[in-house]
Amino acid sequence: MREEAEKRQKLILRAKEEFMEKGFMGASLRSICSKAGVTTGAVYFFFQDKDALFHAVVDGVLQRFLTALGEHAREEFDEDFSTYRHHAGDHDEVATRMLNILYDDYDAAIILLTKASGSSCEHVLDDLIEVLEGYYKRLAGKYAASRPGKRIDPYMLHYMTHVQVDGFVHLLMHVADREEALRHVKSLMDFMVDGWLRYVLMDSAE
Amino acid sequence: MREEAEKRQKLILRAKEEFMEKGFMGASLRSICSKAGVTTGAVYFFFQDKDALFHAVVDGVLQRFLTALGEHAREEFDEDFSTYRHHAGDHDEVATRMLNILYDDYDAAIILLTKASGSSCEHVLDDLIEVLEGYYKRLAGKYAASRPGKRIDPYMLHYMTHVQVDGFVHLLMHVADREEALRHVKSLMDFMVDGWLRYVLMDSAE
Amino acid sequence: MREEAEKRQKLILRAKEEFMEKGFMGASLRSICSKAGVTTGAVYFFFQDKDALFHAVVDGVLQRFLTALGEHAREEFDEDFSTYRHHAGDHDEVATRMLNILYDDYDAAIILLTKASGSSCEHVLDDLIEVLEGYYKRLAGKYAASRPGKRIDPYMLHYMTHVQVDGFVHLLMHVADREEALRHVKSLMDFMVDGWLRYVLMDSAE
Amino acid sequence: MREEAEKRQKLILRAKEEFMEKGFMGASLRSICSKAGVTTGAVYFFFQDKDALFHAVVDGVLQRFLTALGEHAREEFDEDFSTYRHHAGDHDEVATRMLNILYDDYDAAIILLTKASGSSCEHVLDDLIEVLEGYYKRLAGKYAASRPGKRIDPYMLHYMTHVQVDGFVHLLMHVADREEALRHVKSLMDFMVDGWLRYVLMDSAE
DNA sequence: TATGAATGAGTCTTCATTCAT
DNA sequence: TATGAATGAAGACTCATTCAT
């Protein structure tokens, strides 16, 4: 009661370690269980299968990230682009918010984004990019409409979306310290906005 | 004798298909052998183990890529940066050369770059980036030395190296057609050079 | 208290469905419990084990059937065979009575007779035949004693008992509709009585 | 070479014992392997899965039985029914032939016919009956056509087919000795032919 | 030269059952 | 009274690898 699903928690904890170390496919339920001091069968009381255990590790960050992303998308979409001018640092606040979510459950975030191969999450990144791309396409459309002489390069739009997502992943994987990561995020965002304005929204004269 | 080489070749061919479909870990030697019409033992006659078979599939592109990279590095390093000015398109020729190497053995390149998890090649990308980064660091040093008021941001140097490599991978994975890929590579390179000049080599006044 | 019985009942109901679908061995207590909206432990509160649950499903028909059989045996055994002559339809009434018992709990009857493999009931049919055979042996003995020149073929006696029981099972499994089954039972009984008179009680001259 | 698949044979032998004892579902590959002095993996070298192992035990009898049945069907169908009169013993020869096939691989026959539940053979008996029924329906049609005033009772046609097949199974299971079984088969066949002439081909006046 | 048989540890998963609470 | 957590042995099956021949 009080220790409410203590073993469940321990199981998730050890699973996180194992997934971190060996990835989804490489992870062994046996190994996880023995580390958690639990018999193999126990996993199947708490979770439907290996994949569900993976979700238990990873769903938290994923949901928070997705929610934050949805909110941001709604806000940004309401801006008036006819008068919009980009200033360095414009996107720092959002980026910081998103990054914080990832660093709040650092290991889970890394597992979700880089160790999911073989699980039902193995395409999260691609899915995320696809969603974002759709959203950015509409945004870029609005922007281009208010800027005569501008047109969109579809490949670069897809690529820049990828770069954006990948930038976060790169930060996460190469900068363990949150504060340091937050310091870098500014350059990152400026670099990406440059990319957008120069290579996605290109001059019509091609 | 000729048969020998034939079987070896068929084995490599089917392995390529299997690795492409399921990745290194997911691939089954049994399945490869049966597709190749060869007994299980045969793999171990021709190759030391699963990993060696993977290398047989992948080493060709890897070596050609590495060699080309080495040559390029030597050339570029000899330029005189005191008089250097970047022009759009400067790097297209190199990029084209590298990209062609990848498209010449398209499947092997994709396998090497995205399906190697679990094999001894699983860190090729990281290794490649590390090598490149070292080379770029010296290059950037030279450049900065000839440009008073410029200094290098180490994280962005690492990140830009990553972006550069990742740009190739992205192209490879999302644009199956070589000609189309070659068309995009120009924007890609310009975008990256921009990144270099603005975010890696930043103004000293920070 | 009322709830208690309810849960027990629901458990039996779902168990019946599961046994029907997958047989005793194939049935899963987990699956039964979850269908019944009850915890796993509950089965072991209400029943001793899987086998006891099976009995709970099946004992009703079995007891009613056995009782009816016993009554019939007692009646028939008291007849005077010295004056007995078989007429078509003689046994219809009994057969109808027995068949009705089976159709009154159709699913349970089918489970008992054809899905019990692995349970302690897996030999009910054999047991039933054995009991019946003993009874028929005495009956046939009486009959033969009053008919000089007749002797009994022991194998055919056993076989005819089997045919008799099997006839019921066949009806049950192939004719879901009770009325239709009752219509067929006449031919069935006549066929069997023929068998008895011709092949079980055969002419001594062999 | 000489001992050609010695272990394969031992595996089949032990599997036969295990299937005999516990049925298909109840049988454990582990147990079979350890009895055969072979590791678990070995089964999967020789057979695709548990079901394939079952087939290896059982396919011999099944094929021989089916072949013999097909031949018999062809012969019998060519008879001229307008002049046909049944004599006791008419079918003994066929019955003997079929029975011999079953007794030639006694255990396999029993396993196939009574222990197959859970395997892909679990409906052999039903399938066999269905085939036979189709054949008998045509035969009975021919016969009835040459006998005015006769019509066919469809349920009894199905049932008699079942009785026929079941008669063989019963013999097999209750009479281990082949000679004794062959002695009984005569009564059995006569009983069934009686059934056919009286209850399947009934007088039109119903 | 290359096979085919065999290994044995490993995979995930399911099971009936138990018992403290 | 009945639960929910947990067991532990067993299930079928797959794997990369080895080695006598």
Side-chain angles (χ1 to χ4, degrees):
Chain A
M1 298 234 167
R2 204 189 25 207
E3 58 231 291
E4 181 166 354
E6 188 198 340
K7 293 214 172 164
R8 199 191 123 99
Q9 224 46 45
K10 196 172 265 175
L11 224 26
I12 293 181
L13 183 69
R14 299 305 171 181
K16 196 187 278 190
E17 293 171 9
E18 178 98 355
F19 287 138
M20 195 62 159
E21 196 182 330
K22 310 185 191 165
F24 178 80
M25 277 185 114
S28 149
L29 289 184
R30 258 200 206 174
S31 159
I32 292 172
C33 287
S34 81
K35 279 181 202 162
V38 154
T39 54
T40 341
V43 188
Y44 289 87
F45 173 72
F46 293 111
F47 311 96
Q48 221 184 29
D49 55 16
K50 198 186 182 185
D51 199 77
L53 176 56
F54 187 84
H55 269 100
V57 168
V58 131
D59 267 355
V61 225
L62 182 56
Q63 292 315 322
R64 285 189 291 276
F65 191 84
L66 255 29
T67 304
L69 199 69
E71 283 170 11
H72 164 60
R74 226 171 304 120
E75 292 169 16
E76 192 169 62
F77 203 72
D78 294 335
E79 282 189 38
D80 180 0
F81 277 107
S82 55
T83 62
Y84 177 81
R85 307 220 112 245
H86 172 68
H87 300 287
D90 270 11
H91 301 80
D92 295 3
E93 199 261 339
V94 203
T96 300
R97 223 191 304 156
M98 309 304 289
L99 214 52
N100 268 321
I101 289 171
L102 299 180
Y103 276 87
D104 282 346
D105 196 348
Y106 187 74
D107 286 2
I110 288 200
I111 290 169
L112 173 64
L113 299 175
T114 69
K115 311 276 187 179
S117 167
S119 80
S120 65
C121 290
E122 72 178 340
H123 300 119
V124 245
L125 271 182
D126 293 341
D127 294 347
L128 180 59
I129 290 175
E130 201 182 314
V131 169
L132 266 182
E133 190 187 356
Y135 156 66
Y136 281 140
K137 193 178 286 176
R138 281 175 292 133
L139 205 62
K142 257 181 88 177
Y143 189 95
S146 68
R147 294 283 186 287
K150 287 286 183 186
R151 55 177 283 276
I152 296 168
D153 177 333
Y155 175 72
M156 287 305 282
L157 184 139
H158 183 282
Y159 174 64
M160 278 310 303
T161 313
H162 164 85
V163 165
Q164 191 151 332
V165 170
D166 176 72
F168 278 68
V169 176
H170 190 267
L171 219 35
L172 204 64
M173 291 189 60
H174 294 82
V175 184
D177 181 64
R178 183 200 303 245
E179 303 310 319
E180 197 188 334
L182 290 175
R183 247 175 282 134
H184 292 309
V185 87
K186 193 176 136 42
S187 306
L188 232 49
M189 295 309 293
D190 288 345
F191 169 59
M192 287 164 194
V193 171
D194 275 0
W196 272 94
L197 297 178
R198 295 179 190 226
Y199 299 98
V200 177
L201 299 158
M202 42 187 242
D203 296 318
S204 280
E206 187 206 359
Chain B
M1 8 205 101
R2 229 168 322 154
E3 287 178 30
E4 169 194 336
E6 255 178 55
K7 283 194 178 170
R8 209 189 110 98
Q9 222 45 44
K10 197 171 265 175
L11 220 28
I12 293 180
L13 182 69
R14 299 305 173 178
K16 196 189 278 192
E17 293 172 8
E18 178 97 354
F19 287 139
M20 194 62 160
E21 199 182 329
K22 308 183 190 165
F24 177 81
M25 279 185 112
S28 150
L29 288 185
R30 251 205 213 169
S31 161
I32 292 172
C33 287
S34 84
K35 281 182 201 160
V38 154
T39 54
T40 338
V43 187
Y44 290 86
F45 175 69
F46 292 114
F47 311 96
Q48 215 186 31
D49 56 14
K50 196 185 184 185
D51 199 76
L53 176 55
F54 188 83
H55 270 99
V57 168
V58 131
D59 268 354
V61 226
L62 183 55
Q63 292 317 322
R64 285 189 292 278
F65 192 83
L66 254 30
T67 305
L69 200 68
E71 285 170 9
H72 164 60
R74 228 171 303 120
E75 293 169 14
E76 193 168 60
F77 202 71
D78 294 336
E79 282 188 39
D80 180 1
F81 276 108
S82 56
T83 61
Y84 178 81
R85 308 221 110 245
H86 172 68
H87 300 286
D90 269 11
H91 302 81
D92 295 3
E93 199 260 342
V94 203
T96 299
R97 223 190 304 155
M98 309 304 289
L99 214 51
N100 267 323
I101 290 171
L102 299 181
Y103 275 89
D104 282 345
D105 197 348
Y106 187 74
D107 286 3
I110 288 201
I111 290 169
L112 172 64
L113 299 175
T114 70
K115 311 272 187 181
S117 166
S119 78
S120 66
C121 291
E122 71 179 339
H123 299 119
V124 242
L125 272 182
D126 293 341
D127 295 346
L128 180 60
I129 290 173
E130 202 181 313
V131 170
L132 266 182
E133 190 187 355
Y135 155 66
Y136 281 140
K137 192 178 289 176
R138 282 176 289 132
L139 204 62
K142 258 180 87 177
Y143 189 95
S146 68
R147 293 284 186 287
K150 287 286 182 186
R151 56 177 283 275
I152 297 168
D153 177 334
Y155 174 73
M156 287 306 281
L157 185 139
H158 184 282
Y159 174 64
M160 278 310 304
T161 314
H162 164 86
V163 165
Q164 190 152 332
V165 171
D166 175 72
F168 277 67
V169 177
H170 190 267
L171 219 36
L172 205 65
M173 291 190 59
H174 293 84
V175 183
D177 181 66
R178 183 200 302 245
E179 304 310 319
E180 198 187 333
L182 291 175
R183 245 175 284 132
H184 292 309
V185 87
K186 194 176 135 38
S187 305
L188 232 49
M189 294 310 291
D190 287 347
F191 168 58
M192 287 164 193
V193 171
D194 274 0
W196 273 94
L197 299 179
R198 293 179 190 227
Y199 298 98
V200 178
L201 301 158
M202 42 187 240
D203 295 319
S204 280
E206 189 207 356
Chain C
M1 7 207 102
R2 229 167 324 155
E3 287 177 31
E4 170 194 334
E6 256 178 54
K7 283 193 179 170
R8 209 189 110 98
Q9 222 45 43
K10 196 171 265 176
L11 220 29
I12 293 180
L13 183 69
R14 299 306 172 178
K16 196 189 277 190
E17 293 172 8
E18 179 96 354
F19 288 138
M20 194 63 161
E21 199 182 328
K22 309 184 190 163
F24 178 80
M25 278 184 111
S28 149
L29 287 185
R30 252 205 213 169
S31 161
I32 292 171
C33 288
S34 84
K35 281 181 202 160
V38 154
T39 54
T40 339
V43 186
Y44 291 84
F45 175 69
F46 291 114
F47 311 95
Q48 213 185 33
D49 57 14
K50 197 186 185 186
D51 199 76
L53 177 56
F54 187 83
H55 270 99
V57 168
V58 130
D59 268 355
V61 226
L62 182 55
Q63 293 315 324
R64 285 189 292 277
F65 192 83
L66 255 29
T67 305
L69 200 69
E71 285 170 9
H72 163 60
R74 227 171 302 120
E75 292 169 16
E76 194 170 58
F77 203 71
D78 293 337
E79 281 189 38
D80 179 1
F81 276 107
S82 56
T83 61
Y84 178 80
R85 309 219 110 246
H86 172 68
H87 300 286
D90 268 11
H91 302 80
D92 295 4
E93 201 259 342
V94 203
T96 300
R97 223 190 303 156
M98 308 304 289
L99 214 51
N100 268 322
I101 289 171
L102 300 180
Y103 275 88
D104 282 345
D105 197 347
Y106 187 74
D107 287 2
I110 287 201
I111 289 168
L112 173 64
L113 299 175
T114 70
K115 312 272 187 181
S117 165
S119 78
S120 65
C121 291
E122 72 179 337
H123 299 118
V124 243
L125 271 182
D126 293 340
D127 294 346
L128 180 59
I129 289 174
E130 202 182 314
V131 169
L132 265 181
E133 190 187 356
Y135 155 66
Y136 281 139
K137 192 178 287 176
R138 282 175 290 134
L139 204 61
K142 260 180 84 178
Y143 188 94
S146 67
R147 294 282 187 287
K150 287 285 182 187
R151 57 176 283 277
I152 297 168
D153 178 334
Y155 175 71
M156 286 306 281
L157 185 139
H158 184 282
Y159 174 62
M160 278 309 305
T161 314
H162 164 84
V163 166
Q164 191 152 331
V165 171
D166 175 72
F168 278 68
V169 176
H170 190 267
L171 219 35
L172 205 65
M173 291 190 60
H174 293 84
V175 183
D177 181 65
R178 182 200 303 245
E179 304 309 321
E180 197 187 334
L182 291 175
R183 246 176 282 133
H184 291 309
V185 87
K186 195 177 135 36
S187 305
L188 232 49
M189 295 310 291
D190 288 347
F191 169 58
M192 288 164 194
V193 171
D194 274 1
W196 273 94
L197 298 179
R198 294 179 190 226
Y199 299 98
V200 176
L201 300 158
M202 44 188 237
D203 294 318
S204 280
E206 189 208 357
Chain D
M1 297 235 164
R2 204 189 22 205
E3 58 231 294
E4 180 165 355
E6 189 199 341
K7 293 215 172 164
R8 198 191 123 99
Q9 224 45 45
K10 196 172 264 177
L11 223 26
I12 293 182
L13 183 69
R14 299 304 172 183
K16 196 188 277 190
E17 293 171 8
E18 178 98 354
F19 287 139
M20 194 62 158
E21 195 182 331
K22 309 185 191 164
F24 177 81
M25 277 183 114
S28 149
L29 288 183
R30 263 198 203 174
S31 159
I32 292 172
C33 288
S34 81
K35 280 180 202 161
V38 154
T39 55
T40 339
V43 188
Y44 290 87
F45 173 71
F46 293 111
F47 311 96
Q48 220 185 29
D49 56 15
K50 198 187 182 184
D51 198 77
L53 176 55
F54 188 83
H55 270 99
V57 168
V58 131
D59 267 354
V61 225
L62 182 55
Q63 292 315 322
R64 285 189 292 275
F65 191 84
L66 255 29
T67 305
L69 200 69
E71 284 169 10
H72 163 59
R74 227 172 303 120
E75 292 169 15
E76 191 169 62
F77 203 71
D78 294 335
E79 282 189 36
D80 180 2
F81 277 107
S82 55
T83 62
Y84 177 80
R85 308 221 111 243
H86 171 67
H87 299 288
D90 270 12
H91 301 80
D92 295 3
E93 199 261 339
V94 203
T96 299
R97 223 190 304 157
M98 309 303 290
L99 214 52
N100 267 322
I101 290 171
L102 300 180
Y103 276 87
D104 282 345
D105 197 347
Y106 187 74
D107 286 3
I110 288 201
I111 290 169
L112 173 63
L113 299 176
T114 69
K115 312 276 187 179
S117 168
S119 79
S120 65
C121 291
E122 71 178 340
H123 298 120
V124 244
L125 271 183
D126 293 340
D127 294 347
L128 180 60
I129 290 175
E130 201 181 314
V131 170
L132 266 182
E133 191 188 354
Y135 156 66
Y136 281 139
K137 194 179 285 177
R138 280 175 292 133
L139 205 63
K142 257 181 89 178
Y143 188 94
S146 68
R147 293 284 186 287
K150 287 286 183 186
R151 57 176 282 274
I152 296 168
D153 177 333
Y155 174 72
M156 287 305 282
L157 185 139
H158 184 283
Y159 174 64
M160 278 310 303
T161 314
H162 164 84
V163 166
Q164 190 152 332
V165 171
D166 175 72
F168 278 67
V169 176
H170 189 267
L171 219 35
L172 206 64
M173 291 188 60
H174 293 84
V175 183
D177 180 65
R178 182 200 302 244
E179 304 310 320
E180 196 187 333
L182 291 176
R183 246 174 284 134
H184 291 309
V185 87
K186 192 176 135 42
S187 306
L188 233 48
M189 295 309 292
D190 287 346
F191 169 58
M192 287 164 195
V193 172
D194 275 359
W196 273 95
L197 298 178
R198 295 178 190 228
Y199 299 99
V200 177
L201 299 159
M202 40 187 243
D203 296 318
S204 280
E206 187 208 2

